Amino acid sequence: MDIETSSDPTLLLPDYSTISDSNFTQMLLTLMPNIMNQNEFMELLNHKEILIFIRELTKLVNRFNYSQLQHEQWSYYYNLGMTEGIWNGRVSKKMADANSMCYTYGRSKNLIKQRLDKYKLQYKKAQEAINEHMKKAPISIDMQNLTTMINNLINKDQNQLRLELERRKTMLRLDAEEHRPVEKFYVLKPRQTEINSAKIIWKAINERENIIHEIAIFKKWLAVHAQESTYSLHTEHIAEQTITKAEEIVQHYTKIATIEKNKLQSTKSHHKNADLLEPIIHAIFQRVNNMQQRRENELQAILTNIFKLTPVQHINYQIKRQHD
């Protein structure tokens, strides 16, 4: 689900055409404004032509809102590119593998402009379709209250979609910033020993974050299934052992990164240009901080998609990162 929604956010878009009449009616009733009479509204919904009109209006507003969200999203990308120069970029796969990084990032200017035009046209057409459909509104319907009800329903149902689009904004920036400290590091012309240490540190941190993700997902999975009849004391014991072993691996990778950092700092006394060493170390760990932020955002998205958590429902997935 996480992979699919990352490439196709329409999978997070509610499809009101597949919902039964009774379920659709119930969804509307739960979001009725207080000033509306529920009995009168239910009576209206018993008329097939009125229910069809409302369902079609809901689908049109749903598509309009989606197009607007996407237009706002691509406007953000465009403004980010214009103000901060975050467009598409890439490094060789060999370079990416050596430095534990993605080889592509950002969006091209042409692609962003195409998407802006596409969604601007989409929401204009959707607005026109809504206006045309509203001309068919039955005289017995209070359109102001109905519109409020439909908007409330769609805002609720598109919440996960909005969260996914916000995540993409954050990830675009973090992906781009992931490359900046790496570029800055090499611009400083580090010695080969410093390059080797940087690669070791970045690889260790990358592997550590992978394990932290696995622990977090496993813990949440256990919490979800703990009440099932097949969940026994034996299962719990095995789970605890697994988590303990995984946390030991996390600390192992933390230790590798710490040793390399200490090794770098210990060379300052006999460095040809000691003043250059501090910015080199800073660039290395600026990249480490960005790696952690990026992976934490990824993890929250995975937990949200798999377990339907909201952002305030963070589980305790943080593993103590000693000596970062």
Side-chain angles (χ1 to χ4, degrees):
M1 181 64 177
D2 178 61
I3 294 170
E4 289 174 348
T5 55
S6 290
S7 59
D8 183 9
T10 58
L11 292 171
L12 297 172
L13 192 65
D15 185 358
Y16 297 108
S17 63
T18 62
I19 301 170
S20 68
D21 286 350
S22 59
N23 286 341
F24 180 72
T25 299
Q26 192 57 44
M27 290 165 67
L28 288 175
L29 290 174
T30 58
L31 294 167
M32 279 184 60
N34 293 332
I35 58 174
M36 288 186 72
N37 185 303
Q38 190 175 71
N39 291 331
E40 287 182 10
F41 186 65
M42 287 180 68
E43 184 65 31
L44 285 173
L45 294 178
N46 286 331
H47 296 278
K48 189 68 177 177
E49 67 278 9
I50 292 179
L51 183 58
I52 291 173
F53 170 83
I54 294 174
R55 286 183 74 115
E56 184 60 27
L57 180 59
T58 304
K59 287 191 285 184
L60 290 172
V61 175
N62 186 43
R63 176 57 59 176
F64 172 78
N65 283 18
Y66 172 74
S67 300
Q68 270 201 322
L69 282 174
Q70 283 285 22
H71 187 264
E72 290 169 7
Q73 185 82 358
W74 290 94
S75 294
Y76 171 84
Y77 291 158
Y78 182 79
N79 292 333
L80 197 63
M82 292 298 289
T83 57
E84 299 187 32
I86 297 180
W87 301 109
N88 66 310
R90 65 174 58 235
V91 297
S92 69
K93 289 191 176 182
K94 183 178 179 181
M95 176 74 169
D97 290 341
N99 294 279
S100 304
M101 63 197 293
C102 296
Y103 75 94
T104 62
Y105 62 93
R107 303 285 188 276
S108 76
K109 194 172 186 177
N110 285 339
L111 174 66
I112 291 175
K113 284 185 174 180
Q114 288 172 6
R115 292 292 190 273
L116 273 173
D117 292 341
K118 171 186 174 180
Y119 290 112
K120 184 176 182 179
L121 181 62
Q122 269 192 15
Y123 79 69
K124 281 187 174 180
K125 285 185 174 180
Q127 183 63 72
E128 290 170 3
I130 289 171
N131 293 341
E132 284 300 309
H133 189 67
M134 293 282 272
K135 293 175 182 178
K136 306 172 188 175
I139 195 169
S140 55
I141 296 180
D142 183 333
M143 289 306 299
Q144 184 174 349
N145 284 330
L146 177 62
T147 303
T148 299
M149 195 185 312
I150 290 174
N151 284 329
N152 289 342
L153 173 65
I154 291 170
N155 285 335
K156 178 178 72 69
D157 289 346
Q158 286 188 356
N159 183 58
Q160 194 176 354
L161 173 65
R162 287 194 297 273
L163 292 175
E164 168 61 16
L165 294 179
E166 284 301 314
R167 181 187 77 87
R168 291 183 182 202
K169 289 179 182 178
T170 303
M171 291 305 298
L172 180 78
R173 180 182 288 277
L174 289 173
D175 282 347
E177 290 175 356
E178 172 92 344
H179 291 71
R180 285 178 175 174
V182 177
E183 292 167 3
K184 180 180 176 181
F185 170 74
Y186 284 104
V187 165
L188 292 170
K189 298 186 178 354
R191 298 181 300 181
Q192 189 58 50
T193 54
E194 292 156 358
I195 292 173
N196 292 341
S197 288
K199 289 178 178 179
I200 290 170
I201 289 169
W202 293 337
K203 181 175 176 58
I205 296 300
N206 185 56
E207 295 297 331
R208 183 186 71 180
E209 296 302 308
N210 287 339
I211 301 297
I212 288 176
H213 276 219
E214 296 299 326
I215 294 172
I217 295 167
F218 186 50
K219 281 184 175 180
K220 183 57 190 173
W221 183 88
L222 287 173
V224 169
H225 294 278
Q227 304 304 317
E228 295 179 359
S229 58
T230 54
Y231 191 86
S232 63
L233 288 174
H234 179 64
T235 306
E236 184 177 0
H237 178 65
I238 294 174
E240 288 174 355
Q241 286 183 319
T242 302
I243 291 170
T244 298
K245 181 63 179 176
E247 288 176 342
E248 288 173 0
I249 297 172
V250 168
Q251 297 308 324
H252 167 71
Y253 284 121
T254 299
K255 186 176 180 180
I256 290 174
T258 302
I259 289 171
E260 285 302 317
K261 181 180 180 180
N262 292 339
K263 188 190 296 184
L264 277 172
Q265 291 175 328
S266 69
T267 63
K268 189 170 184 177
S269 59
H270 55 271
H271 200 284
K272 289 182 181 179
N273 190 344
D275 289 340
L276 270 181
L277 185 59
E278 279 306 317
I280 286 172
I281 293 175
H282 178 74
I284 292 171
F285 283 89
Q286 185 181 10
R287 197 295 173 90
V288 167
N289 290 336
N290 193 80
M291 289 173 79
Q292 290 175 182
Q293 287 182 42
R294 183 178 178 277
R295 298 306 298 277
E296 285 172 10
N297 273 277
E298 283 181 340
L299 177 56
Q300 180 57 32
I302 291 169
L303 293 174
T304 300
N305 282 339
I306 296 176
F307 301 108
K308 307 303 178 190
L309 297 179
T310 62
V312 297
Q313 291 175 297
H314 282 280
I315 70 164
N316 183 23
Y317 66 82
Q318 295 287 357
I319 305 298
K320 188 176 181 182
R321 297 181 170 99
Q322 296 177 348
H323 310 299
D324 279 1

